[in-house]
Amino acid sequence: MSTIKASEIFAEFSTSELVQGMEGPDLDIHGFVPAQKAENNTLVFVDKEKYMASISSDAKCCVVTTPQIAEQYQPKRPNQTFLLTRSVPMAHALIRQRYGDRDYHKEEWQGIHETAVVHDTAKIGSNVIIGPGAVIGANVNIGQGSVIMARAVIEHDAYIDEDVIIHPGAIIGYGSRIGKRSQIKSGAVLGGEGFGFSQDAKRVSHRIPQMGIVVIEDDVIIGSNCCIDRATYDDTRIGRGTKMDNLCHIAHNVRIGEDCLLTAGFIVAGSATLGDRIIASGQVGILDHLEIASDTVLLHRAGVTENIKESGMYAGLPIQPLGQYMKNAAVVKKLSELRKKVIDLEKQLKQERKV
Protein backbone atom coordinates (compact mmCIF):
# COMPACT_ATOMS: atom_id res chain seq x y z
CA MET A 1 0.00 0.00 0.00
CA SER A 2 1.08 3.59 -0.51
CA THR A 3 1.77 5.80 2.50
CA ILE A 4 -1.30 7.49 4.00
CA LYS A 5 -1.77 9.70 7.03
CA ALA A 6 -4.00 8.84 9.96
CA SER A 7 -5.87 12.09 9.35
CA GLU A 8 -6.77 10.88 5.83
CA ILE A 9 -8.45 7.78 7.26
CA PHE A 10 -10.28 9.91 9.80
CA ALA A 11 -11.47 12.33 7.11
CA GLU A 12 -12.57 9.48 4.84
CA PHE A 13 -14.67 7.68 7.45
CA SER A 14 -15.77 10.39 9.84
CA THR A 15 -18.63 11.49 7.57
CA SER A 16 -20.19 8.02 7.85
CA GLU A 17 -19.46 8.04 11.60
CA LEU A 18 -17.55 4.78 11.29
CA VAL A 19 -14.60 6.64 12.80
CA GLN A 20 -15.82 9.15 15.39
CA GLY A 21 -12.58 10.57 16.68
CA MET A 22 -8.81 10.78 16.39
CA GLU A 23 -6.39 11.26 19.25
CA GLY A 24 -2.61 11.57 19.14
CA PRO A 25 -0.11 12.51 16.39
CA ASP A 26 -0.92 12.43 12.68
CA LEU A 27 1.29 9.46 11.81
CA ASP A 28 2.28 8.25 8.38
CA ILE A 29 1.02 4.69 7.85
CA HIS A 30 2.88 2.23 5.61
CA GLY A 31 0.91 -0.96 6.20
CA PHE A 32 -1.63 -3.01 8.16
CA VAL A 33 -0.42 -5.67 10.63
CA PRO A 34 -1.85 -7.79 13.47
CA ALA A 35 -1.49 -6.32 16.95
CA GLN A 36 1.33 -8.76 17.81
CA LYS A 37 3.48 -7.28 15.02
CA ALA A 38 2.80 -3.60 15.60
CA GLU A 39 5.79 -1.36 14.88
CA ASN A 40 6.44 2.20 13.78
CA ASN A 41 4.10 3.54 11.08
CA THR A 42 1.79 0.52 11.03
CA LEU A 43 -1.96 0.36 11.66
CA VAL A 44 -3.58 -2.27 13.89
CA PHE A 45 -7.17 -3.10 14.82
CA VAL A 46 -7.88 -3.82 18.50
CA ASP A 47 -11.36 -4.86 19.64
CA LYS A 48 -10.35 -6.36 23.01
CA GLU A 49 -8.26 -4.86 25.75
CA LYS A 50 -6.07 -7.96 26.06
CA TYR A 51 -4.56 -7.29 22.62
CA MET A 52 -3.21 -3.91 23.71
CA ALA A 53 -0.71 -5.72 25.92
CA SER A 54 0.98 -7.17 22.82
CA ILE A 55 1.62 -3.66 21.40
CA SER A 56 4.81 -2.06 22.65
CA SER A 57 4.24 1.35 24.22
CA ASP A 58 7.30 2.54 22.26
CA ALA A 59 5.82 1.64 18.86
CA LYS A 60 4.69 4.76 16.97
CA CYS A 61 1.67 3.04 15.45
CA CYS A 62 -1.98 3.81 14.77
CA VAL A 63 -4.57 1.84 16.75
CA VAL A 64 -8.16 1.54 15.56
CA THR A 65 -10.17 0.71 18.66
CA THR A 66 -13.18 1.56 20.81
CA PRO A 67 -13.46 4.80 22.80
CA GLN A 68 -13.40 2.75 26.01
CA ILE A 69 -10.06 1.12 25.23
CA ALA A 70 -8.58 4.37 23.93
CA GLU A 71 -9.64 6.21 27.09
CA GLN A 72 -7.65 3.75 29.16
CA TYR A 73 -4.48 3.58 27.03
CA GLN A 74 -4.10 6.84 25.07
CA PRO A 75 -2.92 8.98 28.04
CA LYS A 76 -0.14 6.43 28.68
CA ARG A 77 0.90 6.29 25.01
CA PRO A 78 1.13 9.85 23.61
CA ASN A 79 3.31 8.68 20.69
CA GLN A 80 0.53 6.45 19.34
CA THR A 81 -2.50 7.52 17.31
CA PHE A 82 -5.95 6.26 18.29
CA LEU A 83 -8.81 6.19 15.78
CA LEU A 84 -12.08 5.69 17.65
CA THR A 85 -14.91 3.52 16.35
CA ARG A 86 -17.99 1.83 17.79
CA SER A 87 -17.40 -1.24 15.61
CA VAL A 88 -13.83 -2.44 15.20
CA PRO A 89 -14.89 -5.37 12.91
CA MET A 90 -16.66 -2.98 10.51
CA ALA A 91 -13.70 -0.59 10.60
CA HIS A 92 -11.41 -3.54 9.88
CA ALA A 93 -13.45 -4.47 6.81
CA LEU A 94 -14.03 -1.02 5.33
CA ILE A 95 -10.66 0.58 6.04
CA ARG A 96 -8.83 -2.44 4.69
CA GLN A 97 -11.04 -2.44 1.58
CA ARG A 98 -10.31 1.23 0.99
CA TYR A 99 -6.55 1.28 1.59
CA GLY A 100 -5.23 -2.27 1.79
CA ASP A 101 -7.15 -4.33 -0.73
CA ARG A 102 -5.88 -6.07 -3.85
CA ASP A 103 -6.05 -3.85 -6.94
CA TYR A 104 -6.83 -6.15 -9.85
CA HIS A 105 -6.32 -3.33 -12.35
CA LYS A 106 -2.67 -2.81 -11.47
CA GLU A 107 -1.43 -6.38 -11.73
CA GLU A 108 0.73 -7.94 -14.43
CA TRP A 109 -0.87 -6.56 -17.61
CA GLN A 110 -3.50 -4.19 -18.98
CA GLY A 111 -6.27 -4.69 -21.50
CA ILE A 112 -6.76 -7.97 -23.34
CA HIS A 113 -3.86 -10.42 -23.23
CA GLU A 114 -2.62 -11.65 -26.61
CA THR A 115 -3.37 -15.28 -25.72
CA ALA A 116 -7.00 -14.64 -24.74
CA VAL A 117 -9.68 -15.84 -27.17
CA VAL A 118 -12.45 -13.28 -27.59
CA HIS A 119 -15.32 -13.87 -30.01
CA ASP A 120 -15.93 -11.14 -32.56
CA THR A 121 -19.48 -10.60 -31.30
CA ALA A 122 -18.49 -10.10 -27.65
CA LYS A 123 -19.03 -6.60 -26.25
CA ILE A 124 -16.19 -5.51 -23.99
CA GLY A 125 -16.64 -2.38 -21.86
CA SER A 126 -14.02 0.22 -21.00
CA ASN A 127 -11.17 -0.55 -18.60
CA VAL A 128 -11.78 -4.31 -18.82
CA ILE A 129 -8.86 -6.69 -18.28
CA ILE A 130 -8.87 -10.15 -19.86
CA GLY A 131 -6.02 -12.42 -18.77
CA PRO A 132 -3.95 -15.02 -20.62
CA GLY A 133 -5.78 -18.06 -21.90
CA ALA A 134 -9.22 -16.69 -21.04
CA VAL A 135 -12.05 -17.58 -23.43
CA ILE A 136 -14.91 -15.16 -24.12
CA GLY A 137 -17.76 -16.65 -26.17
CA ALA A 138 -20.21 -15.26 -28.69
CA ASN A 139 -22.49 -12.38 -27.67
CA VAL A 140 -20.94 -12.11 -24.23
CA ASN A 141 -21.31 -8.69 -22.63
CA ILE A 142 -18.66 -7.59 -20.12
CA GLY A 143 -19.30 -4.34 -18.26
CA GLN A 144 -16.74 -1.63 -17.63
CA GLY A 145 -14.07 -2.16 -15.02
CA SER A 146 -14.49 -5.95 -14.87
CA VAL A 147 -11.50 -8.29 -14.70
CA ILE A 148 -11.48 -11.74 -16.30
CA MET A 149 -8.40 -13.54 -15.01
CA ALA A 150 -6.24 -16.26 -16.57
CA ARG A 151 -7.97 -19.26 -18.16
CA ALA A 152 -11.44 -18.24 -17.06
CA VAL A 153 -14.17 -19.28 -19.52
CA ILE A 154 -17.28 -17.25 -20.22
CA GLU A 155 -19.66 -19.07 -22.54
CA HIS A 156 -21.92 -17.51 -25.14
CA ASP A 157 -24.63 -14.99 -24.24
CA ALA A 158 -23.43 -14.52 -20.67
CA TYR A 159 -23.79 -11.05 -19.17
CA ILE A 160 -21.11 -9.76 -16.82
CA ASP A 161 -22.01 -6.43 -15.22
CA GLU A 162 -19.62 -3.66 -14.08
CA ASP A 163 -16.64 -4.16 -11.74
CA VAL A 164 -16.97 -7.95 -11.60
CA ILE A 165 -13.91 -10.10 -10.83
CA ILE A 166 -13.77 -13.57 -12.39
CA HIS A 167 -10.83 -15.45 -10.86
CA PRO A 168 -8.52 -17.89 -12.69
CA GLY A 169 -10.13 -21.07 -13.97
CA ALA A 170 -13.72 -20.12 -13.17
CA ILE A 171 -16.38 -21.13 -15.70
CA ILE A 172 -19.45 -19.01 -16.39
CA GLY A 173 -22.01 -21.05 -18.33
CA TYR A 174 -23.97 -19.76 -21.30
CA GLY A 175 -26.66 -17.19 -20.60
CA SER A 176 -25.59 -16.66 -16.99
CA ARG A 177 -25.90 -13.17 -15.50
CA ILE A 178 -23.43 -11.79 -12.96
CA GLY A 179 -24.31 -8.60 -11.06
CA LYS A 180 -22.19 -5.56 -10.26
CA ARG A 181 -19.13 -5.88 -7.99
CA SER A 182 -19.53 -9.63 -7.62
CA GLN A 183 -16.56 -11.99 -7.40
CA ILE A 184 -16.44 -15.53 -8.75
CA LYS A 185 -13.39 -17.32 -7.37
CA SER A 186 -11.11 -19.94 -8.88
CA GLY A 187 -12.57 -23.24 -10.00
CA ALA A 188 -16.19 -22.22 -9.52
CA VAL A 189 -18.65 -23.48 -12.14
CA LEU A 190 -21.78 -21.39 -12.65
CA GLY A 191 -24.40 -22.61 -15.07
CA GLY A 192 -23.39 -26.25 -15.35
CA GLU A 193 -26.29 -28.51 -16.20
CA GLY A 194 -28.53 -29.37 -13.28
CA PHE A 195 -29.03 -32.99 -12.24
CA GLY A 196 -32.30 -33.86 -13.92
CA PHE A 197 -33.25 -37.37 -15.13
CA SER A 198 -36.38 -39.42 -15.69
CA GLN A 199 -36.39 -43.21 -15.29
CA ASP A 200 -38.34 -45.59 -17.51
CA ALA A 201 -39.90 -48.92 -16.50
CA LYS A 202 -36.48 -50.60 -16.58
CA ARG A 203 -34.99 -47.85 -14.39
CA VAL A 204 -32.87 -46.53 -17.21
CA SER A 205 -32.23 -42.81 -16.62
CA HIS A 206 -33.01 -40.33 -19.41
CA ARG A 207 -31.57 -36.83 -19.28
CA ILE A 208 -33.93 -33.86 -18.97
CA PRO A 209 -32.25 -30.87 -20.66
CA GLN A 210 -31.71 -28.04 -18.21
CA MET A 211 -32.19 -24.91 -20.29
CA GLY A 212 -32.62 -22.19 -17.68
CA ILE A 213 -29.86 -19.87 -16.45
CA VAL A 214 -28.00 -18.80 -13.32
CA VAL A 215 -28.48 -15.27 -11.98
CA ILE A 216 -25.99 -13.82 -9.50
CA GLU A 217 -27.20 -10.47 -8.16
CA ASP A 218 -25.00 -7.50 -7.12
CA ASP A 219 -22.23 -7.74 -4.50
CA VAL A 220 -22.21 -11.53 -4.29
CA ILE A 221 -19.06 -13.57 -3.61
CA ILE A 222 -18.88 -17.17 -4.80
CA GLY A 223 -16.00 -19.14 -3.25
CA SER A 224 -13.52 -21.42 -4.96
CA ASN A 225 -14.80 -24.69 -6.43
CA CYS A 226 -18.46 -23.94 -5.84
CA CYS A 227 -21.00 -25.35 -8.29
CA ILE A 228 -24.25 -23.54 -9.05
CA ASP A 229 -26.43 -25.46 -11.49
CA ARG A 230 -28.55 -23.82 -14.15
CA ALA A 231 -32.31 -24.09 -13.81
CA THR A 232 -34.55 -26.47 -15.70
CA TYR A 233 -36.59 -23.59 -17.17
CA ASP A 234 -36.24 -20.20 -15.45
CA ASP A 235 -33.27 -19.40 -13.21
CA THR A 236 -31.25 -20.49 -10.24
CA ARG A 237 -30.76 -17.25 -8.31
CA ILE A 238 -28.36 -16.00 -5.63
CA GLY A 239 -29.58 -12.81 -3.93
CA ARG A 240 -27.77 -9.51 -3.54
CA GLY A 241 -24.95 -9.43 -1.01
CA THR A 242 -24.85 -13.16 -0.32
CA LYS A 243 -21.40 -14.58 0.43
CA MET A 244 -20.57 -18.21 -0.30
CA ASP A 245 -17.52 -20.05 1.04
CA ASN A 246 -15.52 -22.66 -0.92
CA LEU A 247 -16.93 -26.04 -1.97
CA CYS A 248 -20.65 -25.27 -1.87
CA HIS A 249 -23.20 -26.87 -4.20
CA ILE A 250 -26.42 -25.13 -5.25
CA ALA A 251 -28.73 -27.36 -7.29
CA HIS A 252 -31.07 -26.36 -10.12
CA ASN A 253 -33.97 -23.95 -9.52
CA VAL A 254 -32.78 -23.01 -6.03
CA ARG A 255 -33.54 -19.47 -4.85
CA ILE A 256 -31.27 -17.98 -2.18
CA GLY A 257 -32.14 -14.61 -0.67
CA GLU A 258 -30.08 -11.52 0.14
CA ASP A 259 -27.13 -11.15 2.54
CA CYS A 260 -26.82 -14.85 3.37
CA LEU A 261 -23.57 -16.36 4.72
CA LEU A 262 -23.04 -19.94 3.53
CA THR A 263 -19.86 -21.67 4.67
CA ALA A 264 -17.82 -24.56 3.25
CA GLY A 265 -19.59 -27.75 2.27
CA PHE A 266 -23.07 -26.20 2.19
CA ILE A 267 -25.36 -28.23 -0.09
CA VAL A 268 -28.93 -27.45 -1.10
CA ALA A 269 -31.03 -29.69 -3.35
CA GLY A 270 -33.19 -28.58 -6.25
CA SER A 271 -36.02 -26.06 -6.05
CA ALA A 272 -35.44 -25.14 -2.41
CA THR A 273 -36.11 -21.52 -1.44
CA LEU A 274 -34.02 -19.76 1.19
CA GLY A 275 -34.96 -16.39 2.66
CA ASP A 276 -32.73 -13.42 3.45
CA ARG A 277 -29.85 -13.24 5.96
CA ILE A 278 -29.60 -16.99 6.45
CA ILE A 279 -26.38 -18.26 8.06
CA ALA A 280 -25.24 -21.85 7.52
CA SER A 281 -22.19 -23.35 9.18
CA GLY A 282 -20.03 -25.98 7.48
CA GLN A 283 -21.57 -29.08 5.87
CA VAL A 284 -25.19 -28.06 6.27
CA GLY A 285 -27.54 -29.89 3.91
CA ILE A 286 -31.06 -28.94 2.75
CA LEU A 287 -33.43 -31.28 0.90
CA ASP A 288 -35.26 -30.32 -2.30
CA HIS A 289 -38.39 -28.17 -2.53
CA LEU A 290 -38.12 -26.90 1.04
CA GLU A 291 -38.62 -23.34 2.25
CA ILE A 292 -36.36 -21.76 4.88
CA ALA A 293 -37.51 -18.62 6.69
CA SER A 294 -35.39 -15.46 6.64
CA ASP A 295 -32.98 -14.91 9.56
CA THR A 296 -32.55 -18.64 10.18
CA VAL A 297 -29.20 -19.92 11.50
CA LEU A 298 -28.23 -23.54 10.73
CA LEU A 299 -25.48 -25.12 12.84
CA HIS A 300 -23.62 -28.37 13.64
CA ARG A 301 -24.05 -30.03 10.23
CA ALA A 302 -27.78 -29.41 10.29
CA GLY A 303 -29.74 -31.71 8.00
CA VAL A 304 -32.91 -29.91 6.95
CA THR A 305 -35.65 -32.35 5.94
CA GLU A 306 -38.72 -30.16 6.45
CA ASN A 307 -39.73 -26.54 6.00
CA ILE A 308 -38.50 -24.04 8.57
CA LYS A 309 -41.34 -21.56 8.97
CA GLU A 310 -40.03 -19.56 11.94
CA SER A 311 -36.62 -17.90 12.08
CA GLY A 312 -34.27 -19.10 14.79
CA MET A 313 -31.23 -21.26 15.43
CA TYR A 314 -31.44 -24.92 14.43
CA ALA A 315 -29.06 -27.89 14.43
CA GLY A 316 -28.83 -31.64 14.05
CA LEU A 317 -30.57 -34.34 12.02
CA PRO A 318 -33.50 -34.37 12.24
CA ILE A 319 -33.48 -30.60 12.58
CA GLN A 320 -34.11 -29.28 16.11
CA PRO A 321 -34.12 -25.87 17.78
CA LEU A 322 -30.57 -25.26 19.00
CA GLY A 323 -31.44 -25.36 22.71
CA GLN A 324 -33.15 -28.73 22.37
CA TYR A 325 -30.29 -30.05 20.22
CA MET A 326 -27.69 -29.06 22.82
CA LYS A 327 -29.61 -30.85 25.58
CA ASN A 328 -29.94 -33.99 23.46
CA ALA A 329 -26.27 -33.82 22.46
CA ALA A 330 -25.30 -33.68 26.14
CA VAL A 331 -27.29 -36.88 26.74
CA VAL A 332 -25.70 -38.63 23.75
CA LYS A 333 -22.26 -38.13 25.28
CA LYS A 334 -23.40 -40.23 28.25
CA LEU A 335 -25.13 -43.04 26.33
CA SER A 336 -22.61 -45.72 27.36
CA GLU A 337 -22.97 -44.68 30.99
CA LEU A 338 -26.78 -44.69 30.71
CA ARG A 339 -26.69 -48.10 29.05
CA LYS A 340 -24.64 -49.51 31.91
CA LYS A 341 -27.12 -48.10 34.44
CA VAL A 342 -30.05 -49.67 32.56
CA ILE A 343 -28.28 -53.05 32.51
CA ASP A 344 -27.57 -52.79 36.23
CA LEU A 345 -31.21 -51.89 36.92
CA GLU A 346 -32.43 -54.87 34.87
CA LYS A 347 -30.18 -57.19 36.84
CA GLN A 348 -31.44 -55.70 40.11
CA LEU A 349 -35.09 -56.19 39.05
CA LYS A 350 -34.48 -59.83 38.11
CA GLN A 351 -32.92 -60.53 41.50
CA GLU A 352 -35.81 -58.83 43.32
CA ARG A 353 -38.35 -60.95 41.36
CA LYS A 354 -36.56 -64.15 42.34
CA VAL A 355 -36.79 -63.18 45.99
Side-chain angles (χ1 to χ4, degrees):
M1 62 174 288
S2 58
T3 299
I4 55 173
K5 285 190 169 293
S7 59
E8 293 180 53
I9 299 175
F10 175 65
E12 176 79 18
F13 290 100
S14 60
T15 54
S16 64
E17 296 188 352
L18 178 67
V19 178
Q20 291 115 14
M22 173 178 162
E23 298 177 359
D26 189 10
L27 293 175
D28 290 334
I29 297 168
H30 302 322
F32 299 93
V33 296
Q36 298 88 336
K37 296 185 177 181
E39 56 186 24
N40 291 347
N41 303 109
T42 59
L43 184 146
V44 300
F45 298 90
V46 175
D47 60 349
K48 292 181 176 63
E49 185 180 336
K50 64 181 180 180
Y51 297 127
M52 287 298 301
S54 63
I55 302 174
S56 170
S57 59
D58 296 327
K60 296 179 180 179
C61 62
C62 179
V63 182
V64 179
T65 190
T66 63
Q68 294 78 13
I69 294 176
E71 183 179 9
Q72 182 174 350
Y73 283 89
Q74 197 277 331
K76 306 172 188 176
R77 302 187 179 195
N79 59 331
Q80 293 179 353
T81 302
F82 286 79
L83 293 175
L84 312 182
T85 179
R86 293 193 188 96
S87 175
V88 176
M90 281 301 300
H92 192 184
L94 298 180
I95 292 174
R96 286 284 301 277
Q97 283 183 31
R98 174 65 179 85
Y99 297 106
D101 204 358
R102 181 177 180 180
D103 189 343
Y104 293 92
H105 288 89
K106 294 182 179 179
E107 297 181 358
E108 301 178 317
W109 54 80
Q110 298 296 308
I112 301 175
H113 194 272
E114 60 184 7
T115 62
V117 178
V118 181
H119 197 278
D120 291 342
T121 60
K123 297 179 181 179
I124 311 298
S126 61
N127 198 29
V128 167
I129 294 174
I130 301 177
V135 178
I136 311 299
N139 301 312
V140 166
N141 190 312
I142 301 178
Q144 65 179 10
S146 291
V147 177
I148 314 301
M149 301 181 76
R151 298 189 180 279
V153 175
I154 302 179
E155 294 183 343
H156 66 85
D157 296 295
Y159 180 88
I160 311 297
D161 215 321
E162 299 175 3
D163 300 313
V164 171
I165 309 296
I166 309 294
H167 287 253
I171 298 174
I172 311 300
Y174 68 89
S176 298
R177 303 180 67 83
I178 312 296
K180 293 181 178 67
R181 298 173 300 279
S182 291
Q183 288 199 35
I184 314 300
K185 297 192 176 179
S186 296
V189 179
L190 277 60
E193 185 165 72
F195 192 78
F197 298 89
S198 181
Q199 290 189 321
D200 62 23
K202 296 181 179 180
R203 300 190 66 183
V204 174
S205 297
H206 301 268
R207 171 177 160 270
I208 300 172
Q210 307 288 296
M211 304 302 290
I213 63 172
V214 167
V215 176
I216 306 295
E217 296 184 1
D218 296 347
D219 300 302
V220 169
I221 293 178
I222 305 298
S224 298
N225 296 315
C226 291
C227 292
I228 303 178
D229 292 344
R230 68 176 53 252
T232 307
Y233 288 104
D234 297 319
D235 59 61
T236 302
R237 182 176 292 265
I238 311 298
R240 180 201 59 76
T242 285
K243 308 297 188 283
M244 196 176 299
D245 198 359
N246 304 330
L247 298 167
C248 297
H249 174 68
I250 311 300
H252 59 187
N253 309 318
V254 166
R255 298 293 182 96
I256 293 177
E258 298 182 354
D259 293 313
C260 297
L261 290 174
L262 310 173
T263 60
F266 175 78
I267 295 177
V268 54
S271 300
T273 300
L274 282 66
D276 300 331
R277 299 172 300 281
I278 286 173
I279 297 174
S281 65
Q283 299 185 336
V284 163
I286 299 175
L287 286 184
D288 58 286
H289 293 83
L290 297 182
E291 296 185 7
I292 311 299
S294 295
D295 300 301
T296 294
V297 179
L298 301 170
L299 302 164
H300 289 222
R301 297 180 178 177
V304 184
T305 58
E306 57 188 24
N307 292 333
I308 296 179
K309 298 179 181 180
E310 295 184 10
S311 61
M313 303 178 74
Y314 298 86
L317 176 63
I319 200 79
Q320 306 163 61
L322 183 62
Q324 178 182 336
Y325 167 81
M326 296 300 288
K327 291 177 182 178
N328 291 336
V331 173
V332 169
K333 290 180 180 179
K334 299 180 179 179
L335 280 180
S336 59
E337 180 183 337
L338 291 172
R339 180 175 180 273
K340 184 178 182 302
K341 288 183 178 180
V342 169
I343 292 172
D344 291 342
L345 285 170
E346 287 177 339
K347 289 179 180 179
Q348 183 180 337
L349 285 171
K350 286 180 180 178
Q351 291 175 350
E352 290 177 353
R353 286 169 183 168
K354 288 179 181 179
V355 174

